[in-house]
Amino acid sequence: MGRCPQLCSQCDEGKLARETGWQVDSLPSGPPGKPKNTEGLASVFSNRTSRKSASRTDSDNMADGEGYRNPTEVQMSQLVLPCHTNQRGELSVGQLLKWIDATACLSAERHAGCPCVTASMDDIYFEHTISVGQVVNIKAKVNRAFNSSMEVGIQVVSEDLCSEKQWCVCKALATFVAHRELSKVKLKPTVPRTEEEKTEHSVAAERRRMRLVYADTIKDLLANCVIQDDLESRDCSHMVPAEKTRVESVELVLPPHANHQGNTFGGQIMAWMENVATIAASRLCRAHPTLKTIEMFHFRGPSQVGDRLVLKAIVNNAFKHSMEVGVCVEAYRQEAETHRRHINSAFMTFVVLGADDQPQMLPWIRPQPGDGERRYREASARKKIRLDRKYIVSCKQAEMPLSVPWDPSNQVYLSYNNVSSLKMLVAKDNWVLSSESNQVRLYTLEEDKFLSFHMEMLVHVDTAQAFLLLSDLRRRPEWDKHCRSVELVQQVDEDDAIYHVISPALGGDPKPQDFIILASRRKPCDTGEPYVIALRSVTLPTHRETPEYRRGETVCSGFCFWREGDQLTKVSYYNQATPGVLKYVTTNVTGLSSEFYTTFKACEHFLLDNRNDLAPSLQTL
Ligand code: COA
Ligand code: ADP
């Protein structure tokens, strides 16, 4: 079994389950020599079985049971034969992408009940390679249906038949669009049943939001990213001219490459792209490279049987141990060769593994002046963006420092992380009703290292109005005596803002506390979904800690608002307790203080008093 040690560190079952919608509880063991970290999962399972949630229903319980299978789930198992392998004798990524795309497409079509096309495939990290004789098991299920599109979560596991061992190879998220000739499709909604399905369903909306602005985000980040390169000072005699790696290849789309509608399969296009990228990478290193990551594939337009696809690839930049290869695909009909449609572009990162499976040093590359130098710099910027994003999007909360530095290069991902963390907390099914007073309910959730609580009440006020009133943190001192003053530091965009919050000293501490908080608000995509205001701490160079205040932090908190009727809203406040406030939280949770209730009641009065009185700044929503 060839392994990519660099990538193994990314294998994380919790993350996999969250990002693909699959629990990897079926994996009996990790790869040789690497102990599996099952602590997090084990605690989730023990929580699941030892506590009963106040909000669980019979169908939820059945959904968790052995008999339950998501109705959109599709599985594919393939024995890896020599005809599927690459120059290293391992399963070629192109072949794997074809199987992934086919499985995901069948899952999407099972939900849609009509043909579907691949719109995009999110970034993929390959954690292991797969050898001849092993089995590839692929599972796909629809995480959420939107209007005409669906997010499909895919998990790929390889299996060694002799030793019975299994490895997680990669996870992927693909978007498929249902397609019916002459009419726009409106998909039926997916109904999540298990806790994990509910989490995926909720977070999928946030991922979609990020996906749709992906191209613009990357463009902005590239424009603003200052990369210091040493192109001028490098010794040219030791550099490989990028031109030497350039590849151009043409493919004729034949019926076996297309679906029943005559559209080229997305997996086939990805496989052709991987082929030319591998040739370009091999020309730089003069060895057999291994594909490590693929950045977002976006299928910009369709191609059909009879189209000619021109694939072009070149190494954009070579770093010490990895290189970025860019590929672009254009389609044309024979009768209109000059009319080429740009249908796809992708960026792939390759490494060259030595006999010890460690990545080898790569030669430097000398880009062509003009576009080549631009791509060289953009590849460096993409690498930085990729690393920033990976850290923020995939870090477990326990691993991430409470306050993450705020800067333009991580803005979109921090906002994503803020909202998705709250949604994951909300979707947990092991909340326990701790107490109830004056029609305000207090729930708690004990998990591994965290204690979380949430307060819930019904308020006779319009849902959108309640959302608007609480989403301007500057008004919080009007009802929350734990907020002395709130200043707006930066209005990031329409839905995200950073505030400086000052609260009185807590529990005998002589110093007041201050917080720098990112507030991200979201309206629901569907009826039944809540309005959300997510709050988390960030650090800002302009607002460093001062001796005057003790810097407080919140890792995950915020409000959800559910419409329960006309002028009737269920308002919930969620908070994952951080060490600084833990004592205060436990005092309330154990009933030794009633401050939570008093504060939440004050919030209700604030909403009722201001139900017809929106600040002009909020009415733009
Ligand atoms: N990633 C994910 N979803 C995307 C997307 C992207 N980059 N771009 C568009 N979509 C989604 C939209 O959100 C929308 O979903 P919704 O209806 O649930 O709200 C849906 O696609 C349609 O968007 P719309 O703007 O009406 O259509 P479009 O003109 O952008 O077309 C495709 C979208 C995917 C249909 C079109 O780009 C296409 O045909 N691409 C080629 C598909 C293909 O051939 N794939 C490979 C072979 S199967
Ligand atoms: P960009 O040039 O902004 O990177 P494109 O979509 O034009 O975006 O191209 C994507 C990638 O495809 C490029 O980064 C490059 O690596 C590769 N590419 C584009 N054009 C060519 C070409 N003529 N020859 C070889 N590779 C190309």
Side-chain angles (χ1 to χ4, degrees):
M1 169 85 195
R3 282 177 54 208
C4 170
Q6 273 224 324
L7 292 167
C8 294
S9 61
Q10 292 166 3
C11 191
D12 169 331
E13 292 91 27
K15 184 179 94 189
L16 181 71
R18 280 197 304 280
E19 292 182 1
T20 61
W22 293 102
Q23 238 25 93
V24 197
D25 50 344
S26 57
L27 300 191
S29 61
K34 181 169 189 286
K36 229 164 65 103
N37 173 11
T38 51
E39 204 186 68
L41 266 189
S43 70
V44 169
F45 290 142
S46 66
N47 277 335
R48 207 173 265 174
T49 48
S50 65
R51 274 191 285 262
K52 268 235 171 247
S53 157
S55 59
R56 280 174 70 82
T57 62
D58 287 350
S59 84
D60 288 334
N61 290 331
M62 191 183 75
D64 279 357
E66 283 216 341
Y68 177 71
R69 180 171 164 163
N70 184 297
T72 66
E73 179 185 312
V74 170
Q75 301 189 13
M76 180 187 277
S77 289
Q78 296 281 354
L79 183 60
V80 178
L81 301 173
C83 60
H84 302 132
T85 60
N86 60 17
Q87 68 282 25
R88 285 174 58 92
E90 292 153 354
L91 174 64
S92 86
V93 171
Q95 178 61 63
L96 180 59
L97 290 170
K98 283 201 238 177
W99 288 335
I100 289 177
D101 183 61
T103 316
C105 183
L106 294 180
S107 170
E109 291 189 349
R110 177 175 280 180
H111 181 76
C114 66
C116 294
V117 294
T118 324
S120 67
M121 181 81 77
D122 292 4
D123 300 6
I124 308 182
Y125 302 86
F126 296 98
E127 293 167 15
H128 299 284
T129 52
I130 308 171
S131 310
V132 175
Q134 292 182 337
V135 170
V136 182
N137 296 305
I138 305 172
K139 271 193 201 177
K141 73 164 179 66
V142 176
N143 289 336
R144 180 161 184 166
F146 300 100
N147 301 310
S148 65
S149 69
M150 287 153 279
E151 180 189 280
V152 181
I154 306 129
Q155 182 193 325
V156 181
V157 170
S158 67
E159 173 188 350
D160 187 303
L161 293 170
C162 304
S163 68
E164 291 186 44
K165 286 187 175 144
Q166 296 191 20
W167 292 269
C168 163
V169 174
C170 68
K171 76 277 190 271
L173 290 164
T175 303
F176 284 82
V177 176
H179 199 69
R180 232 182 251 128
E181 297 235 347
L182 305 175
S183 66
K184 192 142 176 85
V185 176
K186 173 75 186 120
L187 292 166
K188 62 177 186 285
T190 37
V191 183
R193 291 176 69 182
T194 63
E195 172 188 322
E196 169 257 316
E197 284 176 8
K198 285 177 190 158
T199 307
E200 286 310 319
H201 186 264
S202 181
V203 176
E206 196 55 21
R207 283 192 292 247
R208 172 178 184 256
R209 191 176 196 271
M210 200 159 75
R211 208 171 277 136
L212 293 179
V213 296
Y214 179 84
D216 290 341
T217 308
I218 293 285
K219 212 163 40 184
D220 283 356
L221 292 178
L222 290 179
N224 296 324
C225 198
V226 182
I227 293 286
Q228 304 285 334
D229 67 58
D230 50 357
L231 266 177
E232 313 284 308
S233 57
R234 278 197 194 152
D235 175 4
C236 290
S237 59
H238 288 96
M239 289 166 134
V240 178
E243 266 314 289
K244 277 195 154 184
T245 70
R246 189 186 292 275
V247 183
E248 179 171 324
S249 178
V250 69
E251 299 284 351
L252 172 61
V253 181
L254 297 171
H257 303 135
N259 62 17
H260 32 303
Q261 303 257 309
N263 280 327
T264 322
F265 278 120
Q268 179 62 67
I269 297 174
M270 292 189 278
W272 282 331
M273 291 169 83
E274 189 260 346
N275 172 54
V276 289
T278 305
I279 297 172
S282 310
R283 284 184 178 158
L284 176 77
C285 60
R286 297 290 160 202
H288 299 314
T290 298
L291 181 53
K292 203 171 92 169
T293 64
I294 304 178
E295 219 161 281
M296 173 85 73
F297 277 104
H298 172 205
F299 292 89
R300 302 157 58 108
S303 62
Q304 283 88 23
V305 170
D307 274 348
R308 277 72 173 158
L309 301 193
V310 177
L311 298 111
K312 296 176 190 165
I314 196 164
V315 176
N316 286 337
N317 200 337
F319 309 100
K320 198 169 176 190
H321 291 122
S322 67
M323 65 182 110
E324 183 199 273
V325 181
V327 192
C328 83
V329 189
E330 292 168 339
Y332 66 90
R333 310 287 307 173
Q334 193 192 6
E335 59 278 13
E337 189 166 348
T338 50
H339 179 63
R340 292 192 175 190
R341 289 129 42 211
H342 179 194
I343 60 165
N344 210 320
S345 283
F347 300 96
M348 306 189 190
T349 304
F350 287 84
V351 291
V352 177
L353 298 175
D356 55 356
D357 265 351
Q358 294 299 315
Q360 305 293 290
M361 286 264 285
L362 296 174
W364 297 119
I365 193 124
R366 189 172 68 241
Q368 287 278 93
D371 267 352
E373 286 185 356
R374 171 182 62 81
R375 288 176 184 144
Y376 179 92
R377 293 197 170 89
E378 288 183 351
S380 297
R382 261 190 300 270
K383 186 174 179 205
K384 179 183 179 311
I385 293 165
R386 199 163 38 232
L387 293 176
D388 284 347
R389 185 177 55 204
K390 198 158 92 181
Y391 173 70
I392 294 168
V393 173
S394 60
C395 250
K396 281 191 262 182
Q397 284 191 358
E399 290 165 352
M400 186 139 115
L402 295 184
S403 292
V404 175
W406 174 265
D407 83 68
S409 74
N410 63 18
Q411 169 175 323
V412 172
Y413 307 109
L414 213 44
S415 165
Y416 162 81
N417 176 280
N418 193 15
V419 176
S420 57
S421 299
L422 180 62
K423 286 185 165 188
M424 282 183 207
L425 188 64
V426 174
K428 298 270 182 197
D429 72 356
N430 39 353
W431 285 101
V432 176
L433 177 61
S434 277
S435 55
E436 184 170 357
S437 164
N438 216 355
Q439 291 173 334
V440 175
R441 292 173 165 198
L442 172 63
Y443 293 90
T444 53
L445 173 77
E446 287 176 58
E447 274 195 325
D448 199 16
K449 299 186 180 83
F450 295 111
L451 169 68
S452 305
F453 71 92
H454 90 256
M455 313 280 299
E456 191 180 281
M457 65 181 170
L458 283 176
V459 188
H460 288 276
V461 65
D462 176 68
T463 313
Q465 199 134 326
F467 167 71
L468 291 173
L469 283 165
L470 294 187
S471 63
D472 184 356
L473 256 57
R474 285 171 301 185
R475 299 198 67 180
R476 194 149 162 176
E478 292 180 42
W479 58 272
D480 186 355
K481 69 180 169 64
H482 302 103
C483 274
R484 216 169 67 187
S485 68
V486 182
E487 172 207 357
L488 176 67
V489 175
Q490 192 180 330
Q491 185 69 49
V492 179
D493 57 33
E494 199 186 316
D495 292 323
D496 295 82
I498 302 177
Y499 296 90
H500 185 203
V501 178
I502 298 174
S503 33
L506 259 189
D509 189 338
K511 276 192 190 183
Q513 280 197 307
D514 74 339
F515 300 80
I516 303 296
I517 290 190
L518 167 66
S520 310
R521 64 180 183 184
R522 300 286 186 268
K523 287 191 279 181
C525 299
D526 275 340
T527 47
E529 263 209 321
Y531 287 80
V532 171
I533 303 169
L535 308 168
R536 69 151 301 136
S537 286
V538 290
T539 55
L540 274 182
T542 49
H543 286 69
R544 295 199 191 283
E545 192 172 350
T546 60
E548 200 184 339
Y549 301 109
R550 187 163 315 287
R551 181 53 59 89
E553 295 188 306
T554 173
V555 66
C556 175
S557 59
F559 294 90
C560 288
F561 307 82
W562 284 268
R563 192 180 295 281
E564 296 287 314
D566 185 30
Q567 301 291 316
L568 186 63
T569 302
K570 184 168 84 182
V571 180
S572 287
Y573 172 71
Y574 289 81
N575 191 312
Q576 189 174 72
T578 47
V581 295
L582 197 59
K583 229 169 101 191
Y584 177 61
V585 173
T586 50
T587 318
N588 272 272
V589 165
T590 50
L592 297 171
S593 162
S594 58
E595 270 191 73
F596 278 6
Y597 287 106
T598 322
T599 309
F600 215 49
K601 272 289 173 194
C603 178
E604 181 185 12
H605 289 134
F606 166 77
L607 293 174
L608 291 172
D609 291 348
N610 293 284
R611 54 193 297 173
N612 301 316
D613 169 32
L614 282 185
S617 63
L618 295 174
Q619 286 171 343
T620 51
L621 254 191

